[in-house]
Structure formats: structure tokens, C-alpha cells
Amino acid sequence: MRAVLVEQFGAPARLADVEDPTPAPHGVVVAVEATGVCRSDWHAWQGHDDDVVLPHVPGHELAGTVAAVGADVRNWHVGDRVTTPFVTACGTCPECAAGAQQVCRAQTQPGFTGWGSFAELVALDHADVNLVALPEGFSASSAAALGCRVATAFRAVTDVGAVRAGEFVAVHGAGGVGLSAVAVAAAAGARVVAVDPSPAARELALTFGAEHAVAAEGAVEAVRELTGGGAHVSLDAVGLPATCEGSVRSLRRRGRHVQVGLLPAAAGRPSVPMDLVIAGELQVLGSHGMAAHDYPRLLALVALGRFPLAELVTRELLLEAGPRALAEVGAATTAGITVLRP
């Protein structure tokens, strides 16, 4: 098969012919129809994730058709159109038994612990736990956008942040996950302030339901002024020390900070103002994806027309453009989500 191959961290990846994957007894192989290009893929390419072993194929946001099925799989068949969370859970550990597959202690992750979906084929583990059937007519590009950024934002806003109608929500970063968080929070009836250094990203955030969109410089003061003292919920959708700290400082008393963007050690450790956390009784929360069994709630939101999923995908490229797209997502030179199509 053809795949985008990383042979040296930080060096240009290349399109290569590599061996086709085979399914594990509990897994499947999916013929990739579309795969998103995410900042997390950039982190893997840069060597910021200890799970990544070279040579490596990135990619964890995907949609496609089941092409091969392991002997122990019961619920899926060749020809089924599917997507999957970026965490492929084991289904049997205590966290999985409690329904929290997104923090499975024995998880694997395509594009991190193994080869991912910047390819024509990808192997996925524990298919009966992790696959999600796509509704009839659901486009592959839209489905690929769900796997990491949209699903992560959905659960971060609705479950972890517990956003309620009428609350002020600040979203720091208007990339794929940030725009998703804006749209989900707006659909919940929240009043959203988006923060991003890019004028194009801020403009896109307004179309996704943000009431205000402000530049990153001076964002804390702007958010506090626009919300009458601070947001009830603030999300760092970027994963940098400055955006994490800014998100916490954007809160009103008893507000809730949700950390969504990764904070790899290579980017530096954030200075979380714990004096404000104590004095204001702030909550500091983490959010790590969404389990497959939660996807029907998200798909229902899309079906009702309350989430502009199609508009989130702003660029579709062929697989051979993967190396360039990987570099661009790290530099945040494009707004919305880029999708690769084999």
C-alpha cells in the first residue's frame, strides 16, 4: 500500500510503498477513505510522543470501509463503513468496565502506538469495542473529522466542562478542536468568546457561533471584559504553556478550566496560577477524547443540523500531499481541518 512514512523525527516525510497490514484476531483492517491532519500528528512527527517508533506512519482521524476482519470479531463485516475514536480501548480493564474507554489503561492508538491512517489501509484493535458505524450517506471527510478533534471537543464541552445554556465560554485556539468546541458550546446555548492569533481563524469562529473573537495578545483582559468578570468555562484547545495559563486566568470565580490541547514536555511546562485556583475555587480538568459508545449523541447533533460539520473541513488533499500538510498543521497556517484522501 501507499503511505506517508516518517523515517526521522522532524525531517520531511515521504510517500512510500509499504507492506499491507493484517488484522489482529480481535481487530480489523480498514480501507481508508479519508483521514484528518491533526496537530497531534505533528507532535508524533516531531518526536514528542514516546510511543512513536521509527519508521512510522502517522494518522488517527479516519473513516473508511472494513477490508479484513480478525477471527474473533463478531459485530463487523467486510464492507461496513466505519470510523473510530483515536483511543482504541481494550474493553476489559477497570476503566473500560466503567465506560471510560477514552482513558483505557491498555489502550492503543493508531498513528502513535502503531502505524496510522496516512495510508491506504490501517489496522485497528478490538473492533467490537471501538468501531462506530457511519450513517447512510455520511461523507468520509466529515466522518474523519469526528475521530479526534470534534469528538474530543464534544465531550470536553458537554461532559467534562458541563457547559450550560447562558454561560460564558472562552475557547483558546480556533483550529479544528477549537472551532468544534465553539460550535458545540454555541449549540448548547452558551455565549462563546473565541481566542486566536489568526484573523482568518477568528472570522471562521464567528461563523461557527462565537459571539466574539479576539486576538491572542491581551486575550485574558478581553475575555474578562466581554464576559463581565470572566468565563464560566474556559478551554485550552491549543496545548501550549501560554494558552493553558491564559485559559485559567480567563475564568471567573468558581469557573472551570478544561485542558484539551496536548502539553508535550518539549513545549515547556505551563505555569498554572494555583493561587487563583485556590482563591477562586477554580476547577482544573483534563479531557482525553471520547469512547465509541458516546458517538451516537454526537451523530444525533450533526443529524439535527446543530453542528456545521461539513463546514469544518476546509481543505481536501490527495495522500501525496500528506508530508506538506503535516508540516503546515504544526505551523497553524490554515484554518479548519485538512483531510487527506488516498
Side-chain angles (χ1 to χ4, degrees):
M1 68 174 182
R2 298 182 309 148
V4 174
L5 191 66
V6 175
E7 297 167 293
Q8 180 180 340
F9 291 128
R14 66 182 179 94
L15 191 67
D17 291 322
V18 299
E19 188 174 340
D20 291 357
T22 57
H26 52 68
V28 298
V29 169
V30 170
V32 178
E33 296 176 25
T35 182
V37 183
C38 178
R39 186 174 173 84
S40 300
D41 300 316
W42 180 85
H43 283 300
W45 171 49
Q46 290 294 306
H48 296 166
D49 192 314
D50 293 339
D51 289 326
V52 175
V53 177
L54 298 177
H56 183 68
V57 175
H60 62 287
E61 297 181 318
L62 67 110
T65 302
V66 175
V69 179
D72 296 339
V73 175
R74 296 290 175 262
N75 299 330
W76 303 96
H77 305 89
V78 171
D80 290 341
R81 291 188 73 240
V82 298
T83 186
T84 183
F86 71 87
V87 170
T88 44
C90 72
T92 57
C93 71
E95 287 74 23
C96 285
Q101 284 90 344
Q102 74 280 354
V103 290
C104 169
R105 65 180 61 183
Q107 66 187 256
T108 56
Q109 296 182 10
F112 299 97
T113 62
W115 282 16
S117 53
F118 282 20
E120 293 175 319
L121 299 167
V122 62
L124 302 174
D125 291 332
H126 300 288
D128 287 332
V129 177
N130 297 302
L131 294 191
V132 178
L134 293 179
E136 188 73 27
F138 208 95
S139 81
S141 292
S142 294
L146 292 175
C148 171
R149 283 166 282 188
V150 174
T152 295
F154 178 80
R155 185 169 169 274
V157 170
T158 60
D159 296 356
V160 179
V163 169
R164 296 182 287 270
E167 288 189 318
F168 284 108
V169 174
V171 178
H172 297 258
V177 69
L179 289 173
S180 301
V182 167
V184 173
R191 303 177 65 183
V192 183
V193 181
V195 178
D196 199 279
S198 164
R202 296 198 298 271
E203 188 64 30
L204 199 54
L206 292 172
T207 70
F208 272 69
E211 195 170 301
H212 303 281
V214 301
E217 186 176 354
V220 171
E221 294 76 14
V223 169
R224 296 186 69 84
E225 181 178 350
L226 290 167
T227 59
H232 296 88
V233 179
S234 187
L235 299 94
D236 173 12
V238 181
L240 291 172
T243 50
C244 173
E245 181 177 356
S247 177
V248 175
R249 291 186 180 278
S250 297
L251 291 170
R252 65 179 59 208
R253 290 176 181 270
R254 311 208 79 195
R256 294 143 6 235
H257 162 74
V258 184
Q259 187 62 41
V260 184
L262 297 177
L263 283 164
R269 293 302 186 191
S271 176
V272 178
M274 293 304 293
D275 55 332
L276 298 183
V277 172
I278 296 167
E281 291 193 349
L282 308 180
Q283 296 182 50
V284 178
L285 306 164
S287 190
H288 188 248
M290 187 170 77
H293 64 75
D294 274 335
Y295 270 66
R297 292 190 295 138
L298 174 55
L299 292 171
L301 186 72
V302 175
L304 289 171
R306 297 178 62 195
F307 184 88
L309 183 58
E311 287 79 5
L312 188 61
V313 178
T314 55
R315 191 171 62 153
E316 294 190 19
L317 302 172
L318 295 177
L319 183 62
E320 47 262 41
R324 171 169 58 87
L326 193 60
E328 289 173 345
V329 75
T333 57
T334 59
I337 288 178
T338 295
V339 167
L340 302 179
R341 310 250 349 202

